[in-house]
Amino acid sequence: TERKKFHTAPVGQVFRLRPFHVLVATGGGYAGYRKYEDYKVEQLEKRGIEVPVKLASEWEVALYKSVPTRLLSRAWGRLNQVELPTWLRKPVYSLYIWTFGVNMKEAAVEDLHHYRNLSEFFRRKLKPQARPVCGVHSVISPSDGKILNFGQVKNCEVEQVKGVTYSLESFLGPRIPTEELHFSRAPAGHSFQQQLVTKEGNELYHCVIYLAPGDYHCFHSPTDWTVSHRRHFPGSLMSVNPGVARWIKELFCHNERVVLTGDWKHGFFSLTAVGATNVGSIRIYFDQDLHTNSPSYSKGSYNDYSFISNNNKEGIPMRKGEHLGEFNLGSTIVLIFEAPKDFRFNLKAGQKIRFGEALGSL
């Protein structure tokens, strides 16, 4: 009949689904559903209605983890490096500015054509006068962001948001060998929290700062201190927005993070940069050996690096307000430190804060 033959695959082959595809599709759909739930919670909070805590079950967390967020984050990172044509830069960046409320008047370079790619735009520097560093208070905010929680650490548990906690030891990992720090430690028989407190009469405090996509993405030293050790935890890259932090217990312990520990004038001090979806890149300026979001990693693993050496007995000294590192997009900073009992935070949960503003003082 001179008609062309049309070859079709067997029905069983056409509709055969692989487990990976099912997990990605299901996990992605569920992640979208959670985003919608988070939006509803935000609207209720804006109206002053308190939302009860509803934690995710193990299967919900496993389903969320099935989404290949690490792969997507690496893909996003490569996309960010693509140089945009000059004519396209202003429309793309203007859309981002409008969506996330970016204040470009604070940027060191306001001309949008200057930024060759999205990565440069995310990591834009600010005008020197845009963020004056408070000289009165002993601890300042290391970044722009939203205060999720703060206060005194109790019973080896830290609050990521009100009513949802995570284990201090799981978050920081096993205690660092004494010889790598400048101060003595409590005996091994004490709790992990007591081992971190080095001076009698001191307490352990914490503060959690969430960086939204529209915030300034660099972070700075929150006080005068010395960094002695770095611990890198490869892990998941789940979203860390307040809605997800309220939903998943120990969210920060699941995610990739870089823990910097050392000491300040009152004893133990640590700053942790927590990764998130599309934030596979965490950069510490003085640490060239750090590489985050590696394609392969062992679940539950971590790697240590000491800044104490034969040539450097002191570690890395950091001045208050000094540039420390940067994220791509937005994420979370967690401070855990030792201070006398009369230390007071000058904060309110949920408030917006900018780099250089006071967190607390004695």
Side-chain angles (χ1 to χ4, degrees), residues 11 22 26 28 40 55 80 110 115 121 130 143 157 162 165 167 179 212 225 235 255-256 307 324 345 347 350 358 361:
V11 175
V22 173
T26 309
K40 291 198 299 183
L55 293 178
N80 286 351
E110 295 184 39
Y115 302 100
F121 179 71
S143 66
E157 292 281 320
K162 186 178 179 181
T165 63
S167 163
E179 61 270 15
W225 65 308
N255 271 18
E256 181 158 20
F307 299 109
L324 182 54
F345 285 101
L347 303 171
S361 189

Side-chain angles (χ1 to χ4, degrees), residues 38-321:
D38 295 341
Y39 171 77
K40 291 198 299 183
V41 169
E42 288 179 8
Q43 296 305 307
L44 290 173
E45 287 181 338
K46 287 180 180 179
R47 290 159 55 187
I49 301 173
E50 187 170 348
V51 181
V53 173
K54 184 182 178 182
L55 293 178
S57 61
E58 289 186 11
W59 73 264
E60 287 178 306
V61 176
L63 187 59
Y64 190 3
K65 282 187 172 183
S66 71
V67 180
T69 51
R70 294 179 64 84
L71 178 63
L72 292 172
S73 296
R74 284 194 295 274
W76 177 253
R78 290 193 177 95
L79 180 63
N80 286 351
Q81 298 293 334
V82 175
E83 185 169 340
L84 296 175
T86 305
W87 62 269
L88 189 58
R89 294 175 189 176
K90 189 170 183 178
V92 170
Y93 301 147
S94 295
L95 177 62
Y96 187 91
I97 290 167
W98 177 78
T99 303
F100 297 109
V102 178
N103 183 3
M104 284 302 293
K105 293 189 179 300
E106 298 177 332
V109 180
E110 295 184 39
D111 181 11
L112 297 180
H113 296 101
H114 169 81
Y115 302 100
R116 295 173 297 176
N117 51 49
L118 283 166
S119 182
E120 285 189 3
F121 179 71
F122 292 149
R123 296 180 286 106
R124 64 193 176 277
K125 298 295 186 289
L126 299 180
K127 295 172 181 174
Q129 66 273 21
R131 296 290 186 276
V133 175
C134 176
V136 177
H137 294 79
S138 54
V139 184
I140 62 168
S141 176
S143 66
D144 288 7
K146 178 181 180 181
I147 301 296
L148 294 191
N149 213 303
F150 63 93
Q152 193 173 315
V153 178
K154 297 180 181 178
N155 302 320
C156 296
E157 292 281 320
V158 186
E159 281 194 318
Q160 59 192 31
V161 293
K162 186 178 179 181
V164 182
T165 63
Y166 56 95
S167 163
L168 180 64
E169 187 169 7
S170 296
F171 181 69
L172 295 178
R175 75 175 196 163
I176 299 162
T178 306
E179 61 270 15
E180 294 189 13
L181 298 174
H182 296 165
F183 44 84
S184 61
R185 292 297 188 110
H190 287 60
S191 70
F192 185 80
Q193 180 177 336
Q194 291 171 325
Q195 292 174 28
L196 296 180
V197 177
T198 64
K199 298 180 181 179
E200 188 175 351
N202 280 3
E203 297 289 349
L204 206 62
Y205 297 88
H206 74 98
C207 183
V208 183
I209 305 169
Y210 166 68
L211 289 75
D215 288 328
Y216 168 57
H217 299 301
C218 296
F219 51 94
H220 301 245
S221 176
T223 192
D224 295 334
W225 65 308
T226 302
V227 184
S228 305
H229 188 272
R230 179 258 290 162
R231 176 168 284 162
H232 172 217
F233 290 85
S236 301
L237 287 173
M238 295 184 284
S239 172
V240 293
N241 74 53
V244 177
R246 187 184 295 105
W247 180 54
I248 297 180
K249 182 179 173 65
E250 298 205 332
L251 171 65
F252 299 154
C253 298
H254 290 294
N255 271 18
E256 181 158 20
R257 59 198 182 279
V258 176
V259 183
L260 300 178
T261 53
D263 64 292
W264 70 317
K265 60 183 178 181
H266 298 297
F268 173 81
F269 199 97
S270 73
L271 180 148
T272 301
V274 183
T277 308
N278 295 336
V279 195
S281 173
I282 302 172
R283 182 183 173 195
I284 305 297
Y285 294 138
F286 57 75
D287 189 354
Q288 301 302 315
D289 295 320
L290 175 65
H291 301 286
T292 57
N293 197 8
S294 173
S296 60
Y297 73 99
S298 299
K299 186 177 180 180
S301 66
Y302 62 87
N303 58 75
D304 287 329
Y305 185 86
S306 175
F307 299 109
I308 303 294
S309 64
N310 292 331
N311 297 326
N312 181 9
K313 302 288 187 181
E314 299 298 321
I316 308 295
M318 297 297 301
R319 303 295 297 174
K320 183 168 66 174

Side-chain angles (χ1 to χ4, degrees), residues 335-353:
L335 302 180
I336 298 175
F337 57 93
E338 172 186 359
K341 290 183 178 179
D342 57 350
F343 181 87
R344 295 290 180 270
F345 285 101
N346 303 317
L347 303 171
K348 292 181 180 179
Q351 78 171 72
K352 292 286 291 181
I353 197 166

